[in-house]
Amino acid sequence: MKFGMRKPSLAKSLKARTTTKYKRKVKKSLIPGYGNKGMGWAKNPKKAAYNKVYKKTSFSLWNLFK
């Protein structure tokens, strides 16, 4: 488990910013439960629990500038 600052990834950051509204809309219509809050717990509870703890114990480089 990671504690402290996460290593920034420029590629992942760019990918997240360039995912269009259209692509999300199409996925939401095709995949049931896509984009709904809490669906991670239903699909993979172990991963969801890990991600929740990881998010609370680490922080991003961009959080330092807020």
Side-chain angles (χ1 to χ4, degrees):
M1 181 59 64
K2 175 97 173 143
F3 293 96
M5 191 174 84
R6 294 188 292 268
K7 183 173 65 173
S9 171
L10 189 61
K12 287 181 183 181
S13 180
L14 185 65
K15 178 73 174 170
R17 289 171 185 266
T18 57
T19 301
T20 61
K21 200 183 296 186
Y22 172 74
K23 184 176 180 181
R24 287 191 297 271
K25 197 172 187 176
V26 169
K27 277 190 156 187
K28 193 159 178 69
S29 68
L30 295 176
I31 303 169
Y34 177 83
N36 293 346
K37 195 169 176 86
M39 285 305 293
W41 287 101
K43 290 177 79 176
N44 192 345
K46 186 177 178 182
K47 185 177 181 182
Y50 175 88
N51 287 338
K52 186 168 181 107
V53 172
Y54 179 79
K55 187 161 172 58
K56 289 183 180 285
T57 59
S58 62
F59 59 92
S60 172
L61 174 69
W62 309 118
N63 291 353
L64 296 175
F65 298 116
K66 286 185 178 178

